[in-house]
Amino acid sequence: MAVSGFEGFEKRLELRFSGDDPAAGGHGLRRLEFCKLEKVLHAVQCTVVSAVGNTRFDSYVLSESSLFVYPTRIIIKTCGTTHLLKSVRPLVDHAATLGLTLCGCRYTRGTFIFPDAQPYPHTTFKEEVLYLEENLPKNLSLRKAAVMGSKSCYKWHVFTACDDDAPAEEGGDGLFTVEICMTELDRVLAKNFFRRFNDGKTGDSAGVEMTDVTGIRSVNRNALICDYAFDPCGYSMNGVDGGRYSTVHVTPEDGFSYASFESVYANREEFLEGLQKVVKVFRPAALSVSTTCAAGREVWRGVAKAVEPLGLRVRSRAADEFPDAGTVVFQTFAARRK
C-alpha cells in the first residue's frame, strides 16, 4: 500500500493466443493447473479470494482486482502496487506447453493517484512499454503505444501488439469493451463499501450484502455474480453472463476514493443503460469512459448525453486506432459543481 493511500487505478493486461480452437471443443488456457496460475499471481503480488466459472470461461476475484481465463484469452486487472507485467513471460511460457502461441497483447491503465509509489516497471508508461517490448515474442511485430487525453489531468495509456496474421479480435464477435474509472465518489454512497466492525461475516457473505444494498446487482441481472468485501473496506465483483464478463472494484476511502467498472457489450443501447446504472451507484465527481471496438463502430456516441442528466459534463475526448484493438475512444467528465 502506498504511504499516502491505496492506489485504486488498475493496470489491465489482455493476452490472446492461437491454437486449441474453442469452437472445436478445445479448452486451451483453462487446462492450466491452478497451482501454476497461483505462482504467476504470486509474482504479481496478489492472490485469489473467490472464484466462479461456466462452460465458456473461468473468473477469479483477486486480492487486487480480477482474472478471467478463456480458452485462448486471459485478462488480468490489478490495482495497488502490484507488478502486473511480470505475468507476461510466465503466461506465454505456460501457454506454449499447451500448444498455444501468443498472437495479441493489450495493456491499458489510467493515471495513477500515487505514481511515486509504483514499482518498476510501472514507474512510468515509457518504462512499461520498454518492458513489454523486451518481454513479448518477436512475432508480435505490429506494435503501438500512446497516451490519450493529453489535455486532461486524467489520461489513458494504451499499448497493443499483434502478429501479421492475427485476426482483429475486438468486434469480431460483435462485442466491444468498456472501461469506466470513477474518482471522488459520493461520500454517503461510498460508506456502503465499509464493513461494520466485528460483523461476523465472511468476505463472501459481506460481499453479497454489498452487491444488493448498493444496487450493483441491477447493472446486469442476468449475470452470475462472484463478489467479495474486504475488511475493513473495499469491494470486488466479477459477473459471468454466457461468454461475457463484467467486473467492479471499489476503494471507498475519503481523499482517494475510486471505483471501476468494466464489461463487454453487444450494442450501444445496452452499454449506455449500464453506464447510467453504474454512475448512479457511485455518483463520482470525475469520470472517464474508454470504449474499444472494431474500426467504424461509433459506440462512444451518446455517452455525454447519457451522463449529463446525472450532473456530469464532458471535459475531453480523444480517439485513436490500434493494432489488435481497433478504435479506442477516451472521454472524461466532471461534475457540474466543479
Side-chain angles (χ1 to χ4, degrees):
M1 180 183 290
V3 173
S4 44
F6 186 81
E7 179 61 67
F9 273 95
E10 298 98 346
K11 317 164 184 88
R12 180 189 187 274
L13 176 70
E14 179 172 346
L15 300 175
R16 288 200 302 118
F17 299 83
S18 59
D20 203 11
D21 185 2
H27 294 286
L29 294 167
R30 299 184 72 184
R31 291 186 288 138
L32 272 179
E33 297 175 13
F34 182 67
C35 62
K36 292 183 178 179
L37 282 177
E38 278 189 311
K39 191 172 182 179
V40 173
L41 294 175
H42 179 74
V44 172
Q45 296 193 344
C46 59
T47 58
V48 172
V49 297
S50 193
V52 71
N54 62 10
T55 58
R56 306 285 292 278
F57 69 102
D58 300 312
S59 159
Y60 301 90
V61 175
L62 306 179
S63 56
E64 264 86 6
S65 299
S66 295
L67 166 67
F68 301 99
V69 182
Y70 289 79
T72 56
R73 179 171 54 145
I74 190 164
I75 300 167
I76 309 181
K77 293 184 70 166
T78 62
C79 53
T81 54
T82 49
H83 301 71
L84 176 61
L85 294 184
K86 288 186 177 181
S87 66
V88 173
R89 186 171 290 177
L91 285 174
V92 171
D93 291 342
H94 287 323
T97 66
L98 301 174
L100 299 170
T101 301
L102 186 68
C103 63
C105 169
R106 188 188 313 165
Y107 176 69
T108 59
R109 69 166 174 85
T111 299
F112 293 130
I113 301 174
F114 308 110
D116 294 339
Q118 289 298 315
Y120 172 83
H122 300 289
T123 43
T124 66
F125 185 55
K126 181 179 179 179
E127 293 287 356
E128 290 172 319
V129 171
L130 287 173
Y131 187 91
L132 283 164
E133 295 273 9
E134 292 171 359
N135 285 275
L136 290 173
K138 301 297 184 184
N139 66 299
L140 271 61
S141 57
L142 301 177
R143 304 180 179 189
K144 181 174 179 176
V147 180
M148 305 177 67
S150 58
K151 295 182 180 180
S152 168
C153 60
Y154 295 99
K155 297 178 176 60
W156 196 240
H157 306 72
V158 183
F159 171 89
T160 69
C162 64
D163 61 32
D164 291 314
D165 300 323
E169 166 70 7
E170 204 65 47
D173 50 7
L175 302 177
F176 58 91
T177 303
V178 176
E179 297 173 71
I180 299 172
C181 302
M182 297 163 279
T183 56
E184 300 175 67
L185 312 181
D186 179 276
R187 292 184 178 183
V188 174
L189 296 177
K191 288 180 180 178
N192 290 323
F193 297 96
F194 282 82
R195 291 177 60 174
R196 293 183 297 276
F197 178 70
N198 252 351
D199 61 9
K201 293 182 170 64
T202 64
D204 295 298
S205 61
V208 171
E209 183 178 280
M210 284 186 186
T211 300
D212 292 329
V213 168
T214 59
I216 288 175
R217 190 174 301 278
S218 68
V219 176
N220 182 1
R221 293 194 177 279
N222 294 323
L224 170 64
I225 290 179
C226 180
D227 37 24
Y228 194 88
F230 297 90
D231 192 10
C233 64
Y235 168 89
S236 287
M237 178 280 281
N238 288 346
V240 175
D241 181 8
R244 299 163 54 185
Y245 70 89
S246 59
T247 183
V248 173
H249 301 287
V250 186
T251 300
E253 293 97 323
D254 191 30
F256 51 93
S257 62
Y258 170 85
S260 68
F261 173 79
E262 178 181 336
S263 188
V264 286
Y265 288 99
N267 63 74
R268 186 171 62 184
E269 291 71 26
E270 182 187 22
F271 152 48
L272 295 178
E273 181 182 351
L275 170 64
Q276 289 181 322
K277 290 179 179 179
V278 169
V279 171
K280 288 177 182 178
V281 169
F282 299 103
R283 294 285 180 178
L287 165 75
S288 70
V289 181
S290 173
T291 56
T292 303
C293 64
R297 294 188 69 187
E298 297 187 330
V299 298
W300 61 271
R301 292 189 179 277
V303 171
K305 187 176 181 180
V307 300
E308 185 176 350
L310 303 176
L312 294 161
R313 66 173 185 273
V314 65
R315 294 180 60 187
S316 67
R317 180 179 294 127
D320 206 346
E321 301 291 326
F322 292 86
D324 197 50
T327 302
V328 177
V329 179
F330 177 65
Q331 303 180 76
T332 65
F333 304 85
R336 290 198 186 94
R337 64 180 181 271
K338 298 193 73 180

